């Protein structure tokens, strides 16, 4: 099945890659379907990645992000990330990356203009709108820093469940999806919206790259059962 898809890549003047956690699995980043470990083993990501969870237990949720940040600092982009970036270098403006991932690995592989739909785990922001007094205090391990005057907390600059996606990135991704001839949906269970909805709203052909079945398989033109690091070099390298 890979040969027709290679031809679709050659024929497409506009391509979108919509990536999820499986894109980074071969870099050693656990996916969201993978069981949480340690202190968080009893929680589902949907329960931890929320404002409510953070307000209820800032230290526990903050610790989860600190441990994920430390793990992401130790990993590298994989052959799938590099195949996408190399294609973008060879064909400027022809391939757009819209990612659900917060690990920054597409950017570290050299992809330009990555649409980070769910933010970036390496960045922080204020939990409540910052006041004139809000100055970032010391980041003490185990708890988020807070403004010494008003107690405003620092939080990871990611999109939590129940929060709106960044409007500019989402609009750009919707525009790219509407205009592309081909969308490669790589390493996502297709469960989380509105990101997964991009695969259903595009006018182009849609191809899923995933070793397992996904929620999107019923609505796409082809499913390539395989991994990101194995399939993307085959599809994108001339
Ligand atoms: C929103 C950042 C509007 C945080 C993430 C009630 C109220 C409000 C909203 C909702 C609601 N009920 C439902 C919703 C919508 C909700 C949603 O979709 N929930 C799901 C669980 C049903 N969405 C939202 O809340 C979004 N916002 O709707 O706002 C709104 C606002 C206010 C009020 C009303 C409406 C925000 C969603 C963003 C959440 N943040 N991340 C953090 O990282 O901590 S999402 C997070 O989970 C990831 O970023 C990722 O997007 C998602 C996990 O999905 P995947 O990427 O697919 O990963 P997964 O592990 O599931 O799958 C991995 C896949 O890879 C598997 O298929 C596997 O087979 C495959 N794989 C494995 N190895 C490989 C591989 N593939 C290729 N190669 C390999 N080697």
């Amino acid at each position: 099945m890979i040969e027709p898809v290679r031809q679709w890549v050659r024929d497409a003047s506009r391509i979108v890659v919509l990536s999820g956690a499986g894109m980074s699995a071969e870099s050693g980043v656990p996916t969201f379907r993978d069981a949480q470990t340690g202190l968080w083993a009893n929680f589902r990501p949907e329960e931890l990645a929320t404002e409510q969870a953070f307000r209820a237990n800032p230290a526990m949720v903050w610790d989860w992000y600190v441990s994920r940040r430390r793990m992401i600092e130790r990993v590298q982009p994989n052959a799938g990330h590099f195949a996408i970036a190399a294609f973008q270098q060879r064909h400027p403006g022809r391939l757009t990356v819209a990612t659900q991932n917060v690990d920054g690995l597409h950017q570290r592989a050299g992809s330009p203009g990555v649409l980070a739909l769910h933010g970036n785990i390496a960045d922080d922001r204020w939990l409540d709108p910052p006041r004139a007094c809000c100055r970032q205090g010391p980041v003490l391990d185990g708890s988020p820093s807070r403004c010494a005057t008003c107690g405003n907390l620092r939080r990871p600059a990611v999109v939590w469940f129940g929060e709106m996606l960044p409007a500019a990135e989402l609009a750009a991704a919707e525009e790219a999806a509407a205009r592309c001839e081909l969308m490669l949906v790589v390493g996502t269970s297709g469960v989380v919206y509105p990101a997964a909805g991009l695969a259903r709203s595009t006018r182009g052909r849609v191809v899923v790259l995933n070793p397992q079945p996904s929620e999107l398989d019923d609505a796409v033109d082809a499913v390539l059962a395989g991994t990101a690091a194995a399939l993307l070099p085959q599809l994108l390298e001339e």
Side-chain angles (χ1 to χ4, degrees), residues 21 26 32-33 65 68 100 159 162-163 188-189 193 210 228:
E26 285 151 293
F32 275 73
R33 300 303 112 185
Y65 281 94
R68 288 171 62 194
Q100 301 174 81
V159 178
E163 293 185 329
T188 183
S189 54
Y193 281 79
N210 196 322

mmCIF file with all atom_site columns, all heavy atoms in Angstrom, residues 21 26 32-33 65 68 100 159 162-163 188-189 193 210 228, ligand 1:
data_model
loop_
_atom_site.group_PDB
_atom_site.id
_atom_site.type_symbol
_atom_site.label_atom_id
_atom_site.label_alt_id
_atom_site.label_comp_id
_atom_site.label_asym_id
_atom_site.label_entity_id
_atom_site.label_seq_id
_atom_site.pdbx_PDB_ins_code
_atom_site.Cartn_x
_atom_site.Cartn_y
_atom_site.Cartn_z
_atom_site.occupancy
_atom_site.B_iso_or_equiv
_atom_site.pdbx_formal_charge
_atom_site.auth_seq_id
_atom_site.auth_comp_id
_atom_site.auth_asym_id
_atom_site.auth_atom_id
_atom_site.pdbx_PDB_model_num
ATOM   1   N N   . ALA A 1 21  ? 1.182   11.787 19.807 1.00 0.00 ? 21  ALA A N   1
ATOM   2   C CA  . ALA A 1 21  ? 2.226   11.279 20.700 1.00 0.00 ? 21  ALA A CA  1
ATOM   3   C C   . ALA A 1 21  ? 3.038   10.138 20.078 1.00 0.00 ? 21  ALA A C   1
ATOM   4   O O   . ALA A 1 21  ? 4.221   9.959  20.365 1.00 0.00 ? 21  ALA A O   1
ATOM   5   C CB  . ALA A 1 21  ? 1.593   10.819 22.015 1.00 0.00 ? 21  ALA A CB  1
ATOM   6   N N   . GLU A 1 26  ? 9.261   6.659  19.178 1.00 0.00 ? 26  GLU A N   1
ATOM   7   C CA  . GLU A 1 26  ? 10.581  6.062  18.870 1.00 0.00 ? 26  GLU A CA  1
ATOM   8   C C   . GLU A 1 26  ? 11.738  6.955  19.323 1.00 0.00 ? 26  GLU A C   1
ATOM   9   O O   . GLU A 1 26  ? 12.891  6.583  19.207 1.00 0.00 ? 26  GLU A O   1
ATOM   10  C CB  . GLU A 1 26  ? 10.671  5.755  17.364 1.00 0.00 ? 26  GLU A CB  1
ATOM   11  C CG  . GLU A 1 26  ? 9.853   4.514  17.004 1.00 0.00 ? 26  GLU A CG  1
ATOM   12  C CD  . GLU A 1 26  ? 9.322   4.521  15.584 1.00 0.00 ? 26  GLU A CD  1
ATOM   13  O OE1 . GLU A 1 26  ? 8.451   5.365  15.284 1.00 0.00 ? 26  GLU A OE1 1
ATOM   14  O OE2 . GLU A 1 26  ? 9.772   3.691  14.787 1.00 0.00 ? 26  GLU A OE2 1
ATOM   15  N N   . PHE A 1 32  ? 0.388   8.995  25.414 1.00 0.00 ? 32  PHE A N   1
ATOM   16  C CA  . PHE A 1 32  ? -0.639  9.183  26.446 1.00 0.00 ? 32  PHE A CA  1
ATOM   17  C C   . PHE A 1 32  ? -1.374  7.893  26.753 1.00 0.00 ? 32  PHE A C   1
ATOM   18  O O   . PHE A 1 32  ? -1.893  7.684  27.831 1.00 0.00 ? 32  PHE A O   1
ATOM   19  C CB  . PHE A 1 32  ? -1.637  10.275 25.995 1.00 0.00 ? 32  PHE A CB  1
ATOM   20  C CG  . PHE A 1 32  ? -1.157  11.628 26.340 1.00 0.00 ? 32  PHE A CG  1
ATOM   21  C CD1 . PHE A 1 32  ? -0.108  12.197 25.637 1.00 0.00 ? 32  PHE A CD1 1
ATOM   22  C CD2 . PHE A 1 32  ? -1.696  12.338 27.383 1.00 0.00 ? 32  PHE A CD2 1
ATOM   23  C CE1 . PHE A 1 32  ? 0.386   13.446 25.971 1.00 0.00 ? 32  PHE A CE1 1
ATOM   24  C CE2 . PHE A 1 32  ? -1.235  13.596 27.714 1.00 0.00 ? 32  PHE A CE2 1
ATOM   25  C CZ  . PHE A 1 32  ? -0.184  14.146 27.010 1.00 0.00 ? 32  PHE A CZ  1
ATOM   26  N N   . ARG A 1 33  ? -1.409  6.979  25.732 1.00 0.00 ? 33  ARG A N   1
ATOM   27  C CA  . ARG A 1 33  ? -2.059  5.672  25.980 1.00 0.00 ? 33  ARG A CA  1
ATOM   28  C C   . ARG A 1 33  ? -1.180  4.808  26.881 1.00 0.00 ? 33  ARG A C   1
ATOM   29  O O   . ARG A 1 33  ? -1.647  3.886  27.492 1.00 0.00 ? 33  ARG A O   1
ATOM   30  C CB  . ARG A 1 33  ? -2.311  4.911  24.657 1.00 0.00 ? 33  ARG A CB  1
ATOM   31  C CG  . ARG A 1 33  ? -3.210  5.589  23.636 1.00 0.00 ? 33  ARG A CG  1
ATOM   32  C CD  . ARG A 1 33  ? -4.577  5.949  24.107 1.00 0.00 ? 33  ARG A CD  1
ATOM   33  N NE  . ARG A 1 33  ? -4.688  7.403  24.163 1.00 0.00 ? 33  ARG A NE  1
ATOM   34  C CZ  . ARG A 1 33  ? -5.761  8.020  24.634 1.00 0.00 ? 33  ARG A CZ  1
ATOM   35  N NH1 . ARG A 1 33  ? -6.744  7.355  25.118 1.00 0.00 ? 33  ARG A NH1 1
ATOM   36  N NH2 . ARG A 1 33  ? -5.814  9.338  24.673 1.00 0.00 ? 33  ARG A NH2 1
ATOM   37  N N   . TYR A 1 65  ? 4.777   17.540 35.395 1.00 0.00 ? 65  TYR A N   1
ATOM   38  C CA  . TYR A 1 65  ? 5.359   18.255 34.242 1.00 0.00 ? 65  TYR A CA  1
ATOM   39  C C   . TYR A 1 65  ? 6.872   18.333 34.348 1.00 0.00 ? 65  TYR A C   1
ATOM   40  O O   . TYR A 1 65  ? 7.589   18.166 33.354 1.00 0.00 ? 65  TYR A O   1
ATOM   41  C CB  . TYR A 1 65  ? 4.716   19.649 34.115 1.00 0.00 ? 65  TYR A CB  1
ATOM   42  C CG  . TYR A 1 65  ? 3.361   19.563 33.459 1.00 0.00 ? 65  TYR A CG  1
ATOM   43  C CD1 . TYR A 1 65  ? 2.185   19.461 34.219 1.00 0.00 ? 65  TYR A CD1 1
ATOM   44  C CD2 . TYR A 1 65  ? 3.242   19.496 32.071 1.00 0.00 ? 65  TYR A CD2 1
ATOM   45  C CE1 . TYR A 1 65  ? 0.954   19.322 33.609 1.00 0.00 ? 65  TYR A CE1 1
ATOM   46  C CE2 . TYR A 1 65  ? 2.008   19.354 31.457 1.00 0.00 ? 65  TYR A CE2 1
ATOM   47  C CZ  . TYR A 1 65  ? 0.868   19.260 32.226 1.00 0.00 ? 65  TYR A CZ  1
ATOM   48  O OH  . TYR A 1 65  ? -0.364  19.094 31.622 1.00 0.00 ? 65  TYR A OH  1
ATOM   49  N N   . ARG A 1 68  ? 8.254   15.104 33.225 1.00 0.00 ? 68  ARG A N   1
ATOM   50  C CA  . ARG A 1 68  ? 8.158   14.963 31.756 1.00 0.00 ? 68  ARG A CA  1
ATOM   51  C C   . ARG A 1 68  ? 9.174   15.849 31.058 1.00 0.00 ? 68  ARG A C   1
ATOM   52  O O   . ARG A 1 68  ? 9.791   15.475 30.056 1.00 0.00 ? 68  ARG A O   1
ATOM   53  C CB  . ARG A 1 68  ? 6.725   15.280 31.299 1.00 0.00 ? 68  ARG A CB  1
ATOM   54  C CG  . ARG A 1 68  ? 5.713   14.216 31.676 1.00 0.00 ? 68  ARG A CG  1
ATOM   55  C CD  . ARG A 1 68  ? 4.295   14.689 31.408 1.00 0.00 ? 68  ARG A CD  1
ATOM   56  N NE  . ARG A 1 68  ? 4.039   14.966 29.994 1.00 0.00 ? 68  ARG A NE  1
ATOM   57  C CZ  . ARG A 1 68  ? 2.968   15.650 29.562 1.00 0.00 ? 68  ARG A CZ  1
ATOM   58  N NH1 . ARG A 1 68  ? 2.087   16.126 30.421 1.00 0.00 ? 68  ARG A NH1 1
ATOM   59  N NH2 . ARG A 1 68  ? 2.793   15.857 28.274 1.00 0.00 ? 68  ARG A NH2 1
ATOM   60  N N   . GLN A 1 100 ? 0.003   17.858 17.891 1.00 0.00 ? 100 GLN A N   1
ATOM   61  C CA  . GLN A 1 100 ? -0.660  17.822 19.194 1.00 0.00 ? 100 GLN A CA  1
ATOM   62  C C   . GLN A 1 100 ? 0.384   17.711 20.302 1.00 0.00 ? 100 GLN A C   1
ATOM   63  O O   . GLN A 1 100 ? 0.077   17.856 21.477 1.00 0.00 ? 100 GLN A O   1
ATOM   64  C CB  . GLN A 1 100 ? -1.600  16.627 19.293 1.00 0.00 ? 100 GLN A CB  1
ATOM   65  C CG  . GLN A 1 100 ? -2.689  16.595 18.232 1.00 0.00 ? 100 GLN A CG  1
ATOM   66  C CD  . GLN A 1 100 ? -3.486  15.307 18.322 1.00 0.00 ? 100 GLN A CD  1
ATOM   67  O OE1 . GLN A 1 100 ? -4.376  15.171 19.151 1.00 0.00 ? 100 GLN A OE1 1
ATOM   68  N NE2 . GLN A 1 100 ? -3.147  14.353 17.485 1.00 0.00 ? 100 GLN A NE2 1
ATOM   69  N N   . VAL A 1 159 ? -1.890  23.453 26.636 1.00 0.00 ? 159 VAL A N   1
ATOM   70  C CA  . VAL A 1 159 ? -3.353  23.547 26.611 1.00 0.00 ? 159 VAL A CA  1
ATOM   71  C C   . VAL A 1 159 ? -3.911  22.384 27.415 1.00 0.00 ? 159 VAL A C   1
ATOM   72  O O   . VAL A 1 159 ? -3.725  21.232 27.033 1.00 0.00 ? 159 VAL A O   1
ATOM   73  C CB  . VAL A 1 159 ? -3.892  23.495 25.166 1.00 0.00 ? 159 VAL A CB  1
ATOM   74  C CG1 . VAL A 1 159 ? -5.419  23.555 25.172 1.00 0.00 ? 159 VAL A CG1 1
ATOM   75  C CG2 . VAL A 1 159 ? -3.300  24.616 24.328 1.00 0.00 ? 159 VAL A CG2 1
ATOM   76  N N   . GLY A 1 162 ? -10.297 21.066 28.429 1.00 0.00 ? 162 GLY A N   1
ATOM   77  C CA  . GLY A 1 162 ? -11.289 22.077 28.808 1.00 0.00 ? 162 GLY A CA  1
ATOM   78  C C   . GLY A 1 162 ? -10.837 23.480 28.456 1.00 0.00 ? 162 GLY A C   1
ATOM   79  O O   . GLY A 1 162 ? -11.589 24.429 28.619 1.00 0.00 ? 162 GLY A O   1
ATOM   80  N N   . GLU A 1 163 ? -9.592  23.629 27.964 1.00 0.00 ? 163 GLU A N   1
ATOM   81  C CA  . GLU A 1 163 ? -9.085  24.967 27.587 1.00 0.00 ? 163 GLU A CA  1
ATOM   82  C C   . GLU A 1 163 ? -9.096  25.119 26.066 1.00 0.00 ? 163 GLU A C   1
ATOM   83  O O   . GLU A 1 163 ? -8.927  24.148 25.324 1.00 0.00 ? 163 GLU A O   1
ATOM   84  C CB  . GLU A 1 163 ? -7.658  25.171 28.119 1.00 0.00 ? 163 GLU A CB  1
ATOM   85  C CG  . GLU A 1 163 ? -7.595  25.249 29.638 1.00 0.00 ? 163 GLU A CG  1
ATOM   86  C CD  . GLU A 1 163 ? -6.210  25.563 30.179 1.00 0.00 ? 163 GLU A CD  1
ATOM   87  O OE1 . GLU A 1 163 ? -5.197  25.165 29.538 1.00 0.00 ? 163 GLU A OE1 1
ATOM   88  O OE2 . GLU A 1 163 ? -6.134  26.188 31.253 1.00 0.00 ? 163 GLU A OE2 1
ATOM   89  N N   . THR A 1 188 ? -1.424  9.193  16.118 1.00 0.00 ? 188 THR A N   1
ATOM   90  C CA  . THR A 1 188 ? -2.440  9.722  17.025 1.00 0.00 ? 188 THR A CA  1
ATOM   91  C C   . THR A 1 188 ? -3.615  8.756  17.108 1.00 0.00 ? 188 THR A C   1
ATOM   92  O O   . THR A 1 188 ? -4.004  8.136  16.125 1.00 0.00 ? 188 THR A O   1
ATOM   93  C CB  . THR A 1 188 ? -2.925  11.129 16.618 1.00 0.00 ? 188 THR A CB  1
ATOM   94  O OG1 . THR A 1 188 ? -3.861  11.602 17.595 1.00 0.00 ? 188 THR A OG1 1
ATOM   95  C CG2 . THR A 1 188 ? -3.574  11.140 15.249 1.00 0.00 ? 188 THR A CG2 1
ATOM   96  N N   . SER A 1 189 ? -4.169  8.648  18.338 1.00 0.00 ? 189 SER A N   1
ATOM   97  C CA  . SER A 1 189 ? -5.334  7.775  18.519 1.00 0.00 ? 189 SER A CA  1
ATOM   98  C C   . SER A 1 189 ? -6.581  8.431  17.941 1.00 0.00 ? 189 SER A C   1
ATOM   99  O O   . SER A 1 189 ? -7.611  7.783  17.790 1.00 0.00 ? 189 SER A O   1
ATOM   100 C CB  . SER A 1 189 ? -5.526  7.473  20.003 1.00 0.00 ? 189 SER A CB  1
ATOM   101 O OG  . SER A 1 189 ? -5.603  8.706  20.731 1.00 0.00 ? 189 SER A OG  1
ATOM   102 N N   . TYR A 1 193 ? -10.139 16.192 20.569 1.00 0.00 ? 193 TYR A N   1
ATOM   103 C CA  . TYR A 1 193 ? -10.630 17.252 19.680 1.00 0.00 ? 193 TYR A CA  1
ATOM   104 C C   . TYR A 1 193 ? -10.304 18.607 20.272 1.00 0.00 ? 193 TYR A C   1
ATOM   105 O O   . TYR A 1 193 ? -10.059 18.709 21.487 1.00 0.00 ? 193 TYR A O   1
ATOM   106 C CB  . TYR A 1 193 ? -12.148 17.077 19.503 1.00 0.00 ? 193 TYR A CB  1
ATOM   107 C CG  . TYR A 1 193 ? -12.446 15.973 18.493 1.00 0.00 ? 193 TYR A CG  1
ATOM   108 C CD1 . TYR A 1 193 ? -12.368 14.636 18.858 1.00 0.00 ? 193 TYR A CD1 1
ATOM   109 C CD2 . TYR A 1 193 ? -12.726 16.290 17.160 1.00 0.00 ? 193 TYR A CD2 1
ATOM   110 C CE1 . TYR A 1 193 ? -12.596 13.623 17.921 1.00 0.00 ? 193 TYR A CE1 1
ATOM   111 C CE2 . TYR A 1 193 ? -12.953 15.282 16.228 1.00 0.00 ? 193 TYR A CE2 1
ATOM   112 C CZ  . TYR A 1 193 ? -12.874 13.959 16.609 1.00 0.00 ? 193 TYR A CZ  1
ATOM   113 O OH  . TYR A 1 193 ? -13.073 12.964 15.679 1.00 0.00 ? 193 TYR A OH  1
ATOM   114 N N   . ASN A 1 210 ? 0.169   4.464  11.568 1.00 0.00 ? 210 ASN A N   1
ATOM   115 C CA  . ASN A 1 210 ? 0.009   4.056  12.960 1.00 0.00 ? 210 ASN A CA  1
ATOM   116 C C   . ASN A 1 210 ? 0.142   2.526  13.023 1.00 0.00 ? 210 ASN A C   1
ATOM   117 O O   . ASN A 1 210 ? -0.478  1.836  12.215 1.00 0.00 ? 210 ASN A O   1
ATOM   118 C CB  . ASN A 1 210 ? -1.393  4.481  13.450 1.00 0.00 ? 210 ASN A CB  1
ATOM   119 C CG  . ASN A 1 210 ? -1.542  4.461  14.954 1.00 0.00 ? 210 ASN A CG  1
ATOM   120 O OD1 . ASN A 1 210 ? -1.005  3.578  15.626 1.00 0.00 ? 210 ASN A OD1 1
ATOM   121 N ND2 . ASN A 1 210 ? -2.241  5.437  15.494 1.00 0.00 ? 210 ASN A ND2 1
ATOM   122 N N   . ALA A 1 228 ? 6.193   5.708  12.804 1.00 0.00 ? 228 ALA A N   1
ATOM   123 C CA  . ALA A 1 228 ? 6.576   6.987  12.207 1.00 0.00 ? 228 ALA A CA  1
ATOM   124 C C   . ALA A 1 228 ? 8.013   6.944  11.682 1.00 0.00 ? 228 ALA A C   1
ATOM   125 O O   . ALA A 1 228 ? 8.286   7.359  10.542 1.00 0.00 ? 228 ALA A O   1
ATOM   126 C CB  . ALA A 1 228 ? 6.434   8.090  13.268 1.00 0.00 ? 228 ALA A CB  1
HETATM 127 C C1  . LIG B 2 .   ? -11.369 22.141 23.963 1.00 0.00 ? 1   LIG B C1  1
HETATM 128 C C2  . LIG B 2 .   ? -1.341  19.115 26.395 1.00 0.00 ? 1   LIG B C2  1
HETATM 129 C C3  . LIG B 2 .   ? -12.999 23.852 23.813 1.00 0.00 ? 1   LIG B C3  1
HETATM 130 C C4  . LIG B 2 .   ? -1.312  18.804 27.873 1.00 0.00 ? 1   LIG B C4  1
HETATM 131 C C5  . LIG B 2 .   ? -3.266  17.860 25.534 1.00 0.00 ? 1   LIG B C5  1
HETATM 132 C C6  . LIG B 2 .   ? -15.605 18.703 28.136 1.00 0.00 ? 1   LIG B C6  1
HETATM 133 C C7  . LIG B 2 .   ? -15.242 20.048 28.265 1.00 0.00 ? 1   LIG B C7  1
HETATM 134 C C8  . LIG B 2 .   ? -14.384 20.657 27.370 1.00 0.00 ? 1   LIG B C8  1
HETATM 135 C C9  . LIG B 2 .   ? -13.860 19.935 26.342 1.00 0.00 ? 1   LIG B C9  1
HETATM 136 C C10 . LIG B 2 .   ? -14.194 18.589 26.225 1.00 0.00 ? 1   LIG B C10 1
HETATM 137 C C11 . LIG B 2 .   ? -15.074 17.973 27.090 1.00 0.00 ? 1   LIG B C11 1
HETATM 138 N N1  . LIG B 2 .   ? -15.211 16.668 26.710 1.00 0.00 ? 1   LIG B N1  1
HETATM 139 C C12 . LIG B 2 .   ? -14.458 16.439 25.636 1.00 0.00 ? 1   LIG B C12 1
HETATM 140 C C13 . LIG B 2 .   ? -13.855 17.594 25.333 1.00 0.00 ? 1   LIG B C13 1
HETATM 141 C C14 . LIG B 2 .   ? -12.966 17.818 24.283 1.00 0.00 ? 1   LIG B C14 1
HETATM 142 C C15 . LIG B 2 .   ? -11.574 17.499 24.819 1.00 0.00 ? 1   LIG B C15 1
HETATM 143 C C16 . LIG B 2 .   ? -11.265 16.102 24.349 1.00 0.00 ? 1   LIG B C16 1
HETATM 144 O O1  . LIG B 2 .   ? -11.041 15.938 23.174 1.00 0.00 ? 1   LIG B O1  1
HETATM 145 N N2  . LIG B 2 .   ? -11.285 15.123 25.274 1.00 0.00 ? 1   LIG B N2  1
HETATM 146 C C17 . LIG B 2 .   ? -11.040 13.750 24.869 1.00 0.00 ? 1   LIG B C17 1
HETATM 147 C C18 . LIG B 2 .   ? -10.274 13.026 25.984 1.00 0.00 ? 1   LIG B C18 1
HETATM 148 C C19 . LIG B 2 .   ? -12.385 13.090 24.571 1.00 0.00 ? 1   LIG B C19 1
HETATM 149 N N3  . LIG B 2 .   ? -10.693 18.472 24.239 1.00 0.00 ? 1   LIG B N3  1
HETATM 150 C C20 . LIG B 2 .   ? -10.342 19.548 24.946 1.00 0.00 ? 1   LIG B C20 1
HETATM 151 O O2  . LIG B 2 .   ? -10.608 19.739 26.102 1.00 0.00 ? 1   LIG B O2  1
HETATM 152 C C21 . LIG B 2 .   ? -9.555  20.578 24.152 1.00 0.00 ? 1   LIG B C21 1
HETATM 153 N N4  . LIG B 2 .   ? -10.128 21.877 24.331 1.00 0.00 ? 1   LIG B N4  1
HETATM 154 O O3  . LIG B 2 .   ? -12.147 21.341 23.527 1.00 0.00 ? 1   LIG B O3  1
HETATM 155 O O4  . LIG B 2 .   ? -11.700 23.467 24.190 1.00 0.00 ? 1   LIG B O4  1
HETATM 156 C C22 . LIG B 2 .   ? -13.742 24.061 25.072 1.00 0.00 ? 1   LIG B C22 1
HETATM 157 C C23 . LIG B 2 .   ? -13.196 24.850 26.043 1.00 0.00 ? 1   LIG B C23 1
HETATM 158 C C24 . LIG B 2 .   ? -13.923 25.085 27.203 1.00 0.00 ? 1   LIG B C24 1
HETATM 159 C C25 . LIG B 2 .   ? -15.177 24.482 27.373 1.00 0.00 ? 1   LIG B C25 1
HETATM 160 C C26 . LIG B 2 .   ? -15.707 23.662 26.357 1.00 0.00 ? 1   LIG B C26 1
HETATM 161 C C27 . LIG B 2 .   ? -14.984 23.452 25.210 1.00 0.00 ? 1   LIG B C27 1
HETATM 162 C C28 . LIG B 2 .   ? -8.119  20.618 24.627 1.00 0.00 ? 1   LIG B C28 1
HETATM 163 C C29 . LIG B 2 .   ? -7.435  19.340 24.268 1.00 0.00 ? 1   LIG B C29 1
HETATM 164 C C30 . LIG B 2 .   ? -5.933  19.481 24.514 1.00 0.00 ? 1   LIG B C30 1
HETATM 165 C C31 . LIG B 2 .   ? -5.550  18.729 25.759 1.00 0.00 ? 1   LIG B C31 1
HETATM 166 N N5  . LIG B 2 .   ? -4.088  18.778 25.941 1.00 0.00 ? 1   LIG B N5  1
HETATM 167 N N6  . LIG B 2 .   ? -1.928  17.984 25.669 1.00 0.00 ? 1   LIG B N6  1
HETATM 168 C C32 . LIG B 2 .   ? -0.222  17.845 28.234 1.00 0.00 ? 1   LIG B C32 1
HETATM 169 O O5  . LIG B 2 .   ? 0.478   17.349 27.333 1.00 0.00 ? 1   LIG B O5  1
HETATM 170 O O6  . LIG B 2 .   ? -0.056  17.586 29.449 1.00 0.00 ? 1   LIG B O6  1
HETATM 171 S S1  . LIG B 2 .   ? -3.889  16.521 24.730 1.00 0.00 ? 1   LIG B S1  1
HETATM 172 C C33 . LIG B 2 .   ? -2.775  15.237 24.898 1.00 0.00 ? 1   LIG B C33 1
HETATM 173 O O7  . LIG B 2 .   ? -3.485  14.053 24.746 1.00 0.00 ? 1   LIG B O7  1
HETATM 174 C C34 . LIG B 2 .   ? -1.751  15.205 23.813 1.00 0.00 ? 1   LIG B C34 1
HETATM 175 O O8  . LIG B 2 .   ? -1.253  16.470 23.479 1.00 0.00 ? 1   LIG B O8  1
HETATM 176 C C35 . LIG B 2 .   ? -2.469  14.549 22.688 1.00 0.00 ? 1   LIG B C35 1
HETATM 177 O O9  . LIG B 2 .   ? -3.106  15.486 21.888 1.00 0.00 ? 1   LIG B O9  1
HETATM 178 C C36 . LIG B 2 .   ? -3.513  13.745 23.413 1.00 0.00 ? 1   LIG B C36 1
HETATM 179 C C37 . LIG B 2 .   ? -3.184  12.276 23.316 1.00 0.00 ? 1   LIG B C37 1
HETATM 180 O O10 . LIG B 2 .   ? -3.535  11.925 22.032 1.00 0.00 ? 1   LIG B O10 1
HETATM 181 P P1  . LIG B 2 .   ? -2.481  11.271 21.035 1.00 0.00 ? 1   LIG B P1  1
HETATM 182 O O11 . LIG B 2 .   ? -1.486  12.276 20.633 1.00 0.00 ? 1   LIG B O11 1
HETATM 183 O O12 . LIG B 2 .   ? -3.278  10.609 20.004 1.00 0.00 ? 1   LIG B O12 1
HETATM 184 O O13 . LIG B 2 .   ? -1.694  10.215 21.885 1.00 0.00 ? 1   LIG B O13 1
HETATM 185 P P2  . LIG B 2 .   ? -2.225  8.801  22.325 1.00 0.00 ? 1   LIG B P2  1
HETATM 186 O O14 . LIG B 2 .   ? -1.308  8.327  23.376 1.00 0.00 ? 1   LIG B O14 1
HETATM 187 O O15 . LIG B 2 .   ? -3.698  8.900  22.580 1.00 0.00 ? 1   LIG B O15 1
HETATM 188 O O16 . LIG B 2 .   ? -2.058  7.896  21.034 1.00 0.00 ? 1   LIG B O16 1
HETATM 189 C C38 . LIG B 2 .   ? -0.770  7.604  20.559 1.00 0.00 ? 1   LIG B C38 1
HETATM 190 C C39 . LIG B 2 .   ? -0.978  6.924  19.228 1.00 0.00 ? 1   LIG B C39 1
HETATM 191 O O17 . LIG B 2 .   ? 0.315   6.678  18.662 1.00 0.00 ? 1   LIG B O17 1
HETATM 192 C C40 . LIG B 2 .   ? -1.668  5.567  19.340 1.00 0.00 ? 1   LIG B C40 1
HETATM 193 O O18 . LIG B 2 .   ? -2.669  5.487  18.348 1.00 0.00 ? 1   LIG B O18 1
HETATM 194 C C41 . LIG B 2 .   ? -0.540  4.571  19.052 1.00 0.00 ? 1   LIG B C41 1
HETATM 195 O O19 . LIG B 2 .   ? -1.016  3.423  18.374 1.00 0.00 ? 1   LIG B O19 1
HETATM 196 C C42 . LIG B 2 .   ? 0.351   5.368  18.162 1.00 0.00 ? 1   LIG B C42 1
HETATM 197 N N7  . LIG B 2 .   ? 1.769   4.962  18.161 1.00 0.00 ? 1   LIG B N7  1
HETATM 198 C C43 . LIG B 2 .   ? 2.468   4.389  19.153 1.00 0.00 ? 1   LIG B C43 1
HETATM 199 N N8  . LIG B 2 .   ? 3.752   4.215  18.759 1.00 0.00 ? 1   LIG B N8  1
HETATM 200 C C44 . LIG B 2 .   ? 3.841   4.726  17.502 1.00 0.00 ? 1   LIG B C44 1
HETATM 201 C C45 . LIG B 2 .   ? 2.586   5.207  17.118 1.00 0.00 ? 1   LIG B C45 1
HETATM 202 N N9  . LIG B 2 .   ? 2.359   5.764  15.924 1.00 0.00 ? 1   LIG B N9  1
HETATM 203 C C46 . LIG B 2 .   ? 3.398   5.865  15.085 1.00 0.00 ? 1   LIG B C46 1
HETATM 204 N N10 . LIG B 2 .   ? 4.654   5.443  15.377 1.00 0.00 ? 1   LIG B N10 1
HETATM 205 C C47 . LIG B 2 .   ? 4.902   4.862  16.567 1.00 0.00 ? 1   LIG B C47 1
HETATM 206 N N11 . LIG B 2 .   ? 6.144   4.429  16.867 1.00 0.00 ? 1   LIG B N11 1
#
